[in-house]
Amino acid sequence: MATYAVSYVEGDSEAWVAQFLADLQRELDRLAPGIFTRLGDAPNGRDGRTAGDADEDGLHGARTADVLLALCSPGYFGDPRVGREWAVAVQRRTLGRARTGVAPQTVLPVRWEPLPQRLPSAAAEADPLSARDLPAAYRQDGLAQLTMQAPRLRTAYGEVVAAVAGQLFTAATGPVAPPLPPDHTAAGLPDVFAADDAAFTRRFRAHLRDALTLSDGGPPVDVPRRAAPVGAGSGAALLREQLPDLGRRIVLLGPRGSGRRRELGWLARAVLEEEPGCGPWGCEVVLPPVVRPGGMPAVVDLVQAVAPRLRALEPAGWAARQLRSGRALMALGGLEAIRARDRGAVWEWLLRLLEEYPRTPCVVASDGVRLPWHRLDGSYALVRLEPWTAEESRAFLGLAARSAPGDRDGHDRAARGLAALLEHDPVLRDLMAWPASATGIWSAARTADPGPPDRQRLLDAAVSAAWLPDGGPAETAESAGPRPSGQAAESALRAAVGRLAVVAARADRTSLPWEAVAGAADRRPTGEQSWDLLEELAERPGVMYQPEPSRLAFAHAALRDCLAAAELARRGAAEAVDAAVAQQTGGGSPELALLVVGMLPPGDRDAFLTGLLDHHGAGTGGRALLLTTAAAAAMAGCGEAVADRLRAALRGLGPLESADLPLVARGGSGMRDLLPPGGAAALPPAAGTGTGGGAAPPVRAAAGAVRPVRRLPARPVPALRHPGPREVRSRGDLEGLTGLGHTGEVHWLGPIGDPGPLLGSVRGLRSLLIDGDPGLTALPDLSGCRTLRTLTVRGCPELRDLTALAASEVVFAELEPGTPHLDLDPLRRAPWLRRLDLVRDRGAPVSVWYLGRVEVRVHARGGVVDRPVPV
């Protein structure tokens, strides 16, 4: 009795598979009546097996049938069961050749559906039907279409069924019977597709290295970036190399122009430039699918979407096997290229794909608009790109000057001048925090006339560059086609974003709740219409994005203030006064007032300054507002009456304090004409000019002439220093910290006892060091420390219980010494913890292993690990 089994991917075509198998059985009965039996058709319903033939791995047919009939379709070779079946069939073929010198036909592939890729080598070697003169419809449409349309293509269908039956008859009745495998499992068998996969992987990596263009369109410079988990402060920020520590699923959030796609490109290049398997997450290749509104590609079409010219070389099922093994990084960028309302389909495609391939690492770059927040559970790490620091902005200028074409010396001078200007201008320094606006500022400074660049020109360049894609480098190459119907006009968008900026500036916030945003964007909010407008603000201008659920935000505070100042200058002096006073008296920044005064026409300038003077009074807020008014008058000029009133108010201010110096310096040399002699004498002369970079405007302007004034060079603004760590040696010291403001770092030195709820009452605590408590056996309760991200324990050799760490929001922990008797099992349930260092020597880690999602690094003295390391 000859037997055959059928291997196919279950789907919507079971009825047609059954029709084809019935026709095939009739043809086999015609060739050899009563000889052939398909496993699954035996009378006892158990494929002829006894009760002892349990088929726990689903490979009974591949192990025992004379021939395995494989119905090949686009998704067939990506099924993990298929790999095991083919491994058994190829093993039986190899054993038969070794024993008799003749290779038996153990598997017969049939083209059930057209394959866009080539057959893997193992399948091509076992395919005798390709060499036969079969109807063209079989090669073009596949056997499934012939089965469905049998009445119309009866002749062609009959020829194919007869050819399959004949090949089965030849294989099953040949002189060499295929031997049974030596065991009853496919475990340990080599992957029959490995050789093809490795060869194509090398070609695909080489192609991507040449063709990958994930960038933000800015200058070809690379400044390392940091990213912080959503909800955590900048103290929890990670370098780009540490992003894999957060898990295998990451959503990288940032406004357009923030360089998030460039960071995505860096991760992709890190995978492709390392040895295979040594890149981030151990990946070998990157699959950056092309985002398109009409629909996302199927898994079998991923290579076609990324590298069309390699389609003919791809072995069938290669992409699915890479995703299933976790060797392919999904790097998805370009969501801003499609309308926000169309992004739901892209996210649905991605989330379903990741559910099907749970080991696949994935990084998505997004502005957060239409992000399915409710579906991104704990397995997705939501991180936001951190803006550049002042040092990183200077590094950008140096790299940009070296890479810019043309006059190298001129570019170096422009970079040095701009760097000096940024030292004393917090607005420009903040605008340099994102690559898009930094590129606009650099371009304006590089093309300026010799000498210091005009400040207002730099501000305008930064705002224009951030208003994407009209005025700066966009993150995607979008065509400048006609505006689709239903979208707001450019003027409406600018008006809406101006209203939003004013609302945010009054509260001195860059982030606003959705209710406030909806009311500000549209004076008559109507639900979906407001959403549409806000989506356009995020899609087209690029100055807004959604950093977390139910909130929208500006890229940074300086951009918000620039846009708010332009809107307030358009509305008039009275409303500008209200907004500036509301911002500064609430402890906010004086920048809005300093920006507005430069944008107001001369006729409204004095009214604005007078309004500010009317609101200043006693107290810290009033003192700052008065100095802000004086600095604004010194920068932009004012009338004689306003100048006299300012002098009188400044005489009653008293001696200048160190906290006043930044505001005084903002006014430039014109402040000397306003300050009383004692105050002016207290300011030592400094080299350079005011913040504007050129000659400061006169403080007073009479009706018909400009009165010359004395110039006072701006004094460098004292650098702000972060307070050092607070040392705690007793419970009383700890109680004292609870009454202070923000305390970022606390050092707990020596035995203190149980702190109870006191640690949770320390505001802003981000880093905690426990040192020198030999009697400590269990960590104190950390559940109340909502901002704590880093924990270090030293000199506590009896520590065993880490349950408090598992219940905290700590991200990084370090234990020194990391004794072998620590109970680490509770850390498997830690929701935030990502890395634990067990330090016995300050060298590099000699062992790295994982407890769930927690990476454990063991630093052992002399390279010896005291505890067994899980594999």
Side-chain angles (χ1 to χ4, degrees), residues 20 24 27 30 129 132-139 143 146 153-167:
F20 162 69
L24 178 63
E27 182 66 21
R30 187 187 65 81
L129 295 175
R132 299 187 58 169
D133 187 16
L134 295 178
Y138 168 71
R139 296 189 299 271
L143 188 51
L146 289 178
L153 300 171
R154 187 173 302 278
T155 302
Y157 178 64
E159 291 181 22
V160 176
V161 172
V164 174
Q167 194 62 44

PDB file of all heavy atoms in Angstrom, residues 20 24 27 30 129 132-139 143 146 153-167:
ATOM      1  N   PHE A  20      -9.482  19.483  -5.100  1.00  0.00           N
ATOM      2  CA  PHE A  20      -8.314  18.996  -5.840  1.00  0.00           C
ATOM      3  C   PHE A  20      -7.895  17.608  -5.349  1.00  0.00           C
ATOM      4  O   PHE A  20      -7.573  16.717  -6.153  1.00  0.00           O
ATOM      5  CB  PHE A  20      -7.162  19.984  -5.684  1.00  0.00           C
ATOM      6  CG  PHE A  20      -5.827  19.411  -6.033  1.00  0.00           C
ATOM      7  CD1 PHE A  20      -5.494  19.091  -7.340  1.00  0.00           C
ATOM      8  CD2 PHE A  20      -4.881  19.161  -5.038  1.00  0.00           C
ATOM      9  CE1 PHE A  20      -4.260  18.543  -7.659  1.00  0.00           C
ATOM     10  CE2 PHE A  20      -3.655  18.615  -5.350  1.00  0.00           C
ATOM     11  CZ  PHE A  20      -3.342  18.304  -6.659  1.00  0.00           C
ATOM     12  N   LEU A  24      -7.572  14.260  -7.472  1.00  0.00           N
ATOM     13  CA  LEU A  24      -6.298  13.557  -7.528  1.00  0.00           C
ATOM     14  C   LEU A  24      -6.464  12.094  -7.138  1.00  0.00           C
ATOM     15  O   LEU A  24      -5.869  11.188  -7.764  1.00  0.00           O
ATOM     16  CB  LEU A  24      -5.294  14.245  -6.599  1.00  0.00           C
ATOM     17  CG  LEU A  24      -3.917  13.602  -6.491  1.00  0.00           C
ATOM     18  CD1 LEU A  24      -3.190  13.605  -7.832  1.00  0.00           C
ATOM     19  CD2 LEU A  24      -3.074  14.312  -5.428  1.00  0.00           C
ATOM     20  N   GLU A  27      -7.833  10.141  -9.974  1.00  0.00           N
ATOM     21  CA  GLU A  27      -6.820   9.879 -10.998  1.00  0.00           C
ATOM     22  C   GLU A  27      -5.857   8.786 -10.539  1.00  0.00           C
ATOM     23  O   GLU A  27      -5.435   7.934 -11.338  1.00  0.00           O
ATOM     24  CB  GLU A  27      -6.058  11.176 -11.290  1.00  0.00           C
ATOM     25  CG  GLU A  27      -5.003  11.058 -12.378  1.00  0.00           C
ATOM     26  CD  GLU A  27      -5.601  10.774 -13.748  1.00  0.00           C
ATOM     27  OE1 GLU A  27      -6.802  11.053 -13.953  1.00  0.00           O
ATOM     28  OE2 GLU A  27      -4.856  10.270 -14.619  1.00  0.00           O
ATOM     29  N   ARG A  30      -7.492   5.500 -10.930  1.00  0.00           N
ATOM     30  CA  ARG A  30      -7.517   5.080 -12.332  1.00  0.00           C
ATOM     31  C   ARG A  30      -6.182   4.481 -12.745  1.00  0.00           C
ATOM     32  O   ARG A  30      -6.122   3.496 -13.483  1.00  0.00           O
ATOM     33  CB  ARG A  30      -7.854   6.284 -13.219  1.00  0.00           C
ATOM     34  CG  ARG A  30      -8.076   5.931 -14.691  1.00  0.00           C
ATOM     35  CD  ARG A  30      -8.230   7.191 -15.519  1.00  0.00           C
ATOM     36  NE  ARG A  30      -7.014   7.991 -15.531  1.00  0.00           N
ATOM     37  CZ  ARG A  30      -5.967   7.723 -16.338  1.00  0.00           C
ATOM     38  NH1 ARG A  30      -5.983   6.688 -17.146  1.00  0.00           N
ATOM     39  NH2 ARG A  30      -4.907   8.495 -16.302  1.00  0.00           N
ATOM     40  N   LEU A 129       8.179  18.716 -11.559  1.00  0.00           N
ATOM     41  CA  LEU A 129       7.102  19.206 -12.409  1.00  0.00           C
ATOM     42  C   LEU A 129       7.505  20.451 -13.194  1.00  0.00           C
ATOM     43  O   LEU A 129       6.922  20.733 -14.241  1.00  0.00           O
ATOM     44  CB  LEU A 129       5.870  19.527 -11.556  1.00  0.00           C
ATOM     45  CG  LEU A 129       5.208  18.327 -10.852  1.00  0.00           C
ATOM     46  CD1 LEU A 129       4.080  18.812  -9.956  1.00  0.00           C
ATOM     47  CD2 LEU A 129       4.680  17.341 -11.873  1.00  0.00           C
ATOM     48  N   ARG A 132       8.567  19.734 -16.731  1.00  0.00           N
ATOM     49  CA  ARG A 132       7.595  19.125 -17.626  1.00  0.00           C
ATOM     50  C   ARG A 132       6.845  20.190 -18.401  1.00  0.00           C
ATOM     51  O   ARG A 132       6.735  21.344 -17.974  1.00  0.00           O
ATOM     52  CB  ARG A 132       6.623  18.242 -16.841  1.00  0.00           C
ATOM     53  CG  ARG A 132       7.333  17.100 -16.114  1.00  0.00           C
ATOM     54  CD  ARG A 132       6.369  16.141 -15.491  1.00  0.00           C
ATOM     55  NE  ARG A 132       5.457  15.556 -16.478  1.00  0.00           N
ATOM     56  CZ  ARG A 132       4.657  14.528 -16.219  1.00  0.00           C
ATOM     57  NH1 ARG A 132       4.678  13.956 -15.020  1.00  0.00           N
ATOM     58  NH2 ARG A 132       3.841  14.058 -17.140  1.00  0.00           N
ATOM     59  N   ASP A 133       6.317  19.799 -19.540  1.00  0.00           N
ATOM     60  CA  ASP A 133       5.583  20.731 -20.403  1.00  0.00           C
ATOM     61  C   ASP A 133       4.141  20.801 -19.930  1.00  0.00           C
ATOM     62  O   ASP A 133       3.242  20.182 -20.508  1.00  0.00           O
ATOM     63  CB  ASP A 133       5.658  20.253 -21.862  1.00  0.00           C
ATOM     64  CG  ASP A 133       5.050  21.275 -22.820  1.00  0.00           C
ATOM     65  OD1 ASP A 133       4.877  22.432 -22.393  1.00  0.00           O
ATOM     66  OD2 ASP A 133       4.730  20.915 -23.966  1.00  0.00           O
ATOM     67  N   LEU A 134       3.925  21.589 -18.880  1.00  0.00           N
ATOM     68  CA  LEU A 134       2.586  21.739 -18.316  1.00  0.00           C
ATOM     69  C   LEU A 134       1.937  23.001 -18.873  1.00  0.00           C
ATOM     70  O   LEU A 134       2.620  23.912 -19.372  1.00  0.00           O
ATOM     71  CB  LEU A 134       2.659  21.801 -16.796  1.00  0.00           C
ATOM     72  CG  LEU A 134       3.146  20.529 -16.101  1.00  0.00           C
ATOM     73  CD1 LEU A 134       3.217  20.741 -14.611  1.00  0.00           C
ATOM     74  CD2 LEU A 134       2.243  19.356 -16.430  1.00  0.00           C
ATOM     75  N   PRO A 135       0.606  23.118 -18.794  1.00  0.00           N
ATOM     76  CA  PRO A 135      -0.087  24.301 -19.336  1.00  0.00           C
ATOM     77  C   PRO A 135       0.429  25.601 -18.712  1.00  0.00           C
ATOM     78  O   PRO A 135       0.827  25.646 -17.547  1.00  0.00           O
ATOM     79  CB  PRO A 135      -1.555  24.053 -18.978  1.00  0.00           C
ATOM     80  CG  PRO A 135      -1.666  22.574 -18.847  1.00  0.00           C
ATOM     81  CD  PRO A 135      -0.353  22.105 -18.303  1.00  0.00           C
ATOM     82  N   ALA A 136       0.424  26.656 -19.516  1.00  0.00           N
ATOM     83  CA  ALA A 136       0.921  27.956 -19.038  1.00  0.00           C
ATOM     84  C   ALA A 136       0.093  28.481 -17.871  1.00  0.00           C
ATOM     85  O   ALA A 136       0.605  29.199 -17.007  1.00  0.00           O
ATOM     86  CB  ALA A 136       0.918  28.962 -20.185  1.00  0.00           C
ATOM     87  N   ALA A 137      -1.193  28.138 -17.821  1.00  0.00           N
ATOM     88  CA  ALA A 137      -2.041  28.617 -16.722  1.00  0.00           C
ATOM     89  C   ALA A 137      -1.548  28.101 -15.385  1.00  0.00           C
ATOM     90  O   ALA A 137      -1.721  28.767 -14.354  1.00  0.00           O
ATOM     91  CB  ALA A 137      -3.486  28.184 -16.964  1.00  0.00           C
ATOM     92  N   TYR A 138      -0.937  26.908 -15.365  1.00  0.00           N
ATOM     93  CA  TYR A 138      -0.400  26.371 -14.102  1.00  0.00           C
ATOM     94  C   TYR A 138       0.761  27.238 -13.617  1.00  0.00           C
ATOM     95  O   TYR A 138       0.871  27.553 -12.431  1.00  0.00           O
ATOM     96  CB  TYR A 138       0.039  24.931 -14.312  1.00  0.00           C
ATOM     97  CG  TYR A 138       0.859  24.372 -13.176  1.00  0.00           C
ATOM     98  CD1 TYR A 138       0.283  24.087 -11.950  1.00  0.00           C
ATOM     99  CD2 TYR A 138       2.232  24.144 -13.330  1.00  0.00           C
ATOM    100  CE1 TYR A 138       1.035  23.584 -10.902  1.00  0.00           C
ATOM    101  CE2 TYR A 138       2.992  23.644 -12.288  1.00  0.00           C
ATOM    102  CZ  TYR A 138       2.391  23.364 -11.078  1.00  0.00           C
ATOM    103  OH  TYR A 138       3.144  22.868 -10.043  1.00  0.00           O
ATOM    104  N   ARG A 139       1.644  27.639 -14.515  1.00  0.00           N
ATOM    105  CA  ARG A 139       2.802  28.434 -14.114  1.00  0.00           C
ATOM    106  C   ARG A 139       2.403  29.869 -13.757  1.00  0.00           C
ATOM    107  O   ARG A 139       2.989  30.487 -12.883  1.00  0.00           O
ATOM    108  CB  ARG A 139       3.848  28.449 -15.228  1.00  0.00           C
ATOM    109  CG  ARG A 139       4.443  27.085 -15.534  1.00  0.00           C
ATOM    110  CD  ARG A 139       5.622  27.199 -16.485  1.00  0.00           C
ATOM    111  NE  ARG A 139       5.214  27.780 -17.767  1.00  0.00           N
ATOM    112  CZ  ARG A 139       4.766  27.051 -18.790  1.00  0.00           C
ATOM    113  NH1 ARG A 139       4.656  25.729 -18.670  1.00  0.00           N
ATOM    114  NH2 ARG A 139       4.426  27.617 -19.934  1.00  0.00           N
ATOM    115  N   LEU A 143      -2.251  26.140  -9.329  1.00  0.00           N
ATOM    116  CA  LEU A 143      -3.229  25.065  -9.354  1.00  0.00           C
ATOM    117  C   LEU A 143      -4.540  25.471  -8.685  1.00  0.00           C
ATOM    118  O   LEU A 143      -5.610  24.953  -9.029  1.00  0.00           O
ATOM    119  CB  LEU A 143      -2.631  23.838  -8.664  1.00  0.00           C
ATOM    120  CG  LEU A 143      -3.410  22.524  -8.729  1.00  0.00           C
ATOM    121  CD1 LEU A 143      -3.799  22.184 -10.147  1.00  0.00           C
ATOM    122  CD2 LEU A 143      -2.601  21.407  -8.120  1.00  0.00           C
ATOM    123  N   LEU A 146      -6.790  26.939 -11.280  1.00  0.00           N
ATOM    124  CA  LEU A 146      -7.277  25.896 -12.178  1.00  0.00           C
ATOM    125  C   LEU A 146      -8.387  25.083 -11.512  1.00  0.00           C
ATOM    126  O   LEU A 146      -9.361  24.687 -12.152  1.00  0.00           O
ATOM    127  CB  LEU A 146      -6.123  24.976 -12.575  1.00  0.00           C
ATOM    128  CG  LEU A 146      -5.065  25.567 -13.520  1.00  0.00           C
ATOM    129  CD1 LEU A 146      -3.964  24.551 -13.767  1.00  0.00           C
ATOM    130  CD2 LEU A 146      -5.696  25.988 -14.832  1.00  0.00           C
ATOM    131  N   LEU A 153     -11.370  25.644 -17.737  1.00  0.00           N
ATOM    132  CA  LEU A 153     -10.011  25.185 -18.058  1.00  0.00           C
ATOM    133  C   LEU A 153      -9.893  23.691 -17.764  1.00  0.00           C
ATOM    134  O   LEU A 153      -8.903  23.227 -17.214  1.00  0.00           O
ATOM    135  CB  LEU A 153      -8.985  25.976 -17.225  1.00  0.00           C
ATOM    136  CG  LEU A 153      -8.979  27.502 -17.424  1.00  0.00           C
ATOM    137  CD1 LEU A 153      -8.090  28.171 -16.415  1.00  0.00           C
ATOM    138  CD2 LEU A 153      -8.519  27.848 -18.840  1.00  0.00           C
ATOM    139  N   ARG A 154     -10.924  22.932 -18.157  1.00  0.00           N
ATOM    140  CA  ARG A 154     -10.963  21.524 -17.792  1.00  0.00           C
ATOM    141  C   ARG A 154      -9.771  20.768 -18.372  1.00  0.00           C
ATOM    142  O   ARG A 154      -9.174  19.918 -17.710  1.00  0.00           O
ATOM    143  CB  ARG A 154     -12.279  20.894 -18.285  1.00  0.00           C
ATOM    144  CG  ARG A 154     -12.487  19.463 -17.801  1.00  0.00           C
ATOM    145  CD  ARG A 154     -13.860  18.972 -18.179  1.00  0.00           C
ATOM    146  NE  ARG A 154     -14.916  19.811 -17.652  1.00  0.00           N
ATOM    147  CZ  ARG A 154     -15.369  19.700 -16.401  1.00  0.00           C
ATOM    148  NH1 ARG A 154     -14.869  18.804 -15.584  1.00  0.00           N
ATOM    149  NH2 ARG A 154     -16.328  20.491 -15.973  1.00  0.00           N
ATOM    150  N   THR A 155      -9.408  21.075 -19.598  1.00  0.00           N
ATOM    151  CA  THR A 155      -8.307  20.340 -20.235  1.00  0.00           C
ATOM    152  C   THR A 155      -6.991  20.604 -19.511  1.00  0.00           C
ATOM    153  O   THR A 155      -6.235  19.674 -19.177  1.00  0.00           O
ATOM    154  CB  THR A 155      -8.193  20.739 -21.713  1.00  0.00           C
ATOM    155  OG1 THR A 155      -9.435  20.474 -22.370  1.00  0.00           O
ATOM    156  CG2 THR A 155      -7.078  19.959 -22.389  1.00  0.00           C
ATOM    157  N   ALA A 156      -6.703  21.884 -19.267  1.00  0.00           N
ATOM    158  CA  ALA A 156      -5.453  22.224 -18.577  1.00  0.00           C
ATOM    159  C   ALA A 156      -5.440  21.642 -17.166  1.00  0.00           C
ATOM    160  O   ALA A 156      -4.419  21.107 -16.709  1.00  0.00           O
ATOM    161  CB  ALA A 156      -5.288  23.739 -18.521  1.00  0.00           C
ATOM    162  N   TYR A 157      -6.573  21.727 -16.485  1.00  0.00           N
ATOM    163  CA  TYR A 157      -6.655  21.188 -15.127  1.00  0.00           C
ATOM    164  C   TYR A 157      -6.408  19.684 -15.119  1.00  0.00           C
ATOM    165  O   TYR A 157      -5.671  19.159 -14.278  1.00  0.00           O
ATOM    166  CB  TYR A 157      -8.032  21.511 -14.544  1.00  0.00           C
ATOM    167  CG  TYR A 157      -8.270  20.970 -13.157  1.00  0.00           C
ATOM    168  CD1 TYR A 157      -7.529  21.400 -12.069  1.00  0.00           C
ATOM    169  CD2 TYR A 157      -9.255  20.008 -12.934  1.00  0.00           C
ATOM    170  CE1 TYR A 157      -7.754  20.908 -10.797  1.00  0.00           C
ATOM    171  CE2 TYR A 157      -9.491  19.506 -11.665  1.00  0.00           C
ATOM    172  CZ  TYR A 157      -8.741  19.961 -10.592  1.00  0.00           C
ATOM    173  OH  TYR A 157      -8.968  19.458  -9.339  1.00  0.00           O
ATOM    174  N   GLY A 158      -7.012  18.991 -16.077  1.00  0.00           N
ATOM    175  CA  GLY A 158      -6.813  17.547 -16.146  1.00  0.00           C
ATOM    176  C   GLY A 158      -5.370  17.175 -16.405  1.00  0.00           C
ATOM    177  O   GLY A 158      -4.862  16.183 -15.850  1.00  0.00           O
ATOM    178  N   GLU A 159      -4.686  17.941 -17.232  1.00  0.00           N
ATOM    179  CA  GLU A 159      -3.271  17.653 -17.514  1.00  0.00           C
ATOM    180  C   GLU A 159      -2.423  17.789 -16.250  1.00  0.00           C
ATOM    181  O   GLU A 159      -1.537  16.965 -15.992  1.00  0.00           O
ATOM    182  CB  GLU A 159      -2.755  18.585 -18.603  1.00  0.00           C
ATOM    183  CG  GLU A 159      -3.330  18.344 -19.989  1.00  0.00           C
ATOM    184  CD  GLU A 159      -2.743  19.291 -21.012  1.00  0.00           C
ATOM    185  OE1 GLU A 159      -1.630  19.813 -20.745  1.00  0.00           O
ATOM    186  OE2 GLU A 159      -3.374  19.527 -22.051  1.00  0.00           O
ATOM    187  N   VAL A 160      -2.705  18.816 -15.473  1.00  0.00           N
ATOM    188  CA  VAL A 160      -1.901  19.037 -14.262  1.00  0.00           C
ATOM    189  C   VAL A 160      -2.194  17.942 -13.240  1.00  0.00           C
ATOM    190  O   VAL A 160      -1.268  17.380 -12.621  1.00  0.00           O
ATOM    191  CB  VAL A 160      -2.178  20.432 -13.669  1.00  0.00           C
ATOM    192  CG1 VAL A 160      -1.418  20.614 -12.367  1.00  0.00           C
ATOM    193  CG2 VAL A 160      -1.787  21.515 -14.650  1.00  0.00           C
ATOM    194  N   VAL A 161      -3.456  17.605 -13.035  1.00  0.00           N
ATOM    195  CA  VAL A 161      -3.794  16.546 -12.079  1.00  0.00           C
ATOM    196  C   VAL A 161      -3.164  15.234 -12.514  1.00  0.00           C
ATOM    197  O   VAL A 161      -2.621  14.469 -11.687  1.00  0.00           O
ATOM    198  CB  VAL A 161      -5.323  16.420 -11.949  1.00  0.00           C
ATOM    199  CG1 VAL A 161      -5.686  15.204 -11.110  1.00  0.00           C
ATOM    200  CG2 VAL A 161      -5.902  17.673 -11.317  1.00  0.00           C
ATOM    201  N   ALA A 162      -3.189  14.929 -13.795  1.00  0.00           N
ATOM    202  CA  ALA A 162      -2.580  13.695 -14.294  1.00  0.00           C
ATOM    203  C   ALA A 162      -1.068  13.705 -14.078  1.00  0.00           C
ATOM    204  O   ALA A 162      -0.479  12.671 -13.727  1.00  0.00           O
ATOM    205  CB  ALA A 162      -2.913  13.520 -15.774  1.00  0.00           C
ATOM    206  N   ALA A 163      -0.440  14.888 -14.269  1.00  0.00           N
ATOM    207  CA  ALA A 163       1.010  14.960 -14.057  1.00  0.00           C
ATOM    208  C   ALA A 163       1.361  14.741 -12.591  1.00  0.00           C
ATOM    209  O   ALA A 163       2.330  14.034 -12.275  1.00  0.00           O
ATOM    210  CB  ALA A 163       1.528  16.309 -14.538  1.00  0.00           C
ATOM    211  N   VAL A 164       0.578  15.332 -11.688  1.00  0.00           N
ATOM    212  CA  VAL A 164       0.838  15.143 -10.256  1.00  0.00           C
ATOM    213  C   VAL A 164       0.626  13.685  -9.874  1.00  0.00           C
ATOM    214  O   VAL A 164       1.435  13.080  -9.146  1.00  0.00           O
ATOM    215  CB  VAL A 164      -0.061  16.078  -9.428  1.00  0.00           C
ATOM    216  CG1 VAL A 164       0.102  15.795  -7.936  1.00  0.00           C
ATOM    217  CG2 VAL A 164       0.270  17.532  -9.715  1.00  0.00           C
ATOM    218  N   ALA A 165      -0.456  13.104 -10.352  1.00  0.00           N
ATOM    219  CA  ALA A 165      -0.712  11.702 -10.035  1.00  0.00           C
ATOM    220  C   ALA A 165       0.383  10.797 -10.594  1.00  0.00           C
ATOM    221  O   ALA A 165       0.835   9.855  -9.922  1.00  0.00           O
ATOM    222  CB  ALA A 165      -2.083  11.292 -10.586  1.00  0.00           C
ATOM    223  N   GLY A 166       0.829  11.076 -11.806  1.00  0.00           N
ATOM    224  CA  GLY A 166       1.895  10.260 -12.375  1.00  0.00           C
ATOM    225  C   GLY A 166       3.187  10.361 -11.590  1.00  0.00           C
ATOM    226  O   GLY A 166       3.889   9.355 -11.404  1.00  0.00           O
ATOM    227  N   GLN A 167       3.503  11.556 -11.133  1.00  0.00           N
ATOM    228  CA  GLN A 167       4.733  11.708 -10.363  1.00  0.00           C
ATOM    229  C   GLN A 167       4.621  11.001  -9.011  1.00  0.00           C
ATOM    230  O   GLN A 167       5.587  10.397  -8.538  1.00  0.00           O
ATOM    231  CB  GLN A 167       5.026  13.200 -10.153  1.00  0.00           C
ATOM    232  CG  GLN A 167       6.426  13.487  -9.657  1.00  0.00           C
ATOM    233  CD  GLN A 167       7.478  13.033 -10.657  1.00  0.00           C
ATOM    234  OE1 GLN A 167       7.343  13.259 -11.862  1.00  0.00           O
ATOM    235  NE2 GLN A 167       8.528  12.383 -10.177  1.00  0.00           N
TER     236      GLN A 167
END
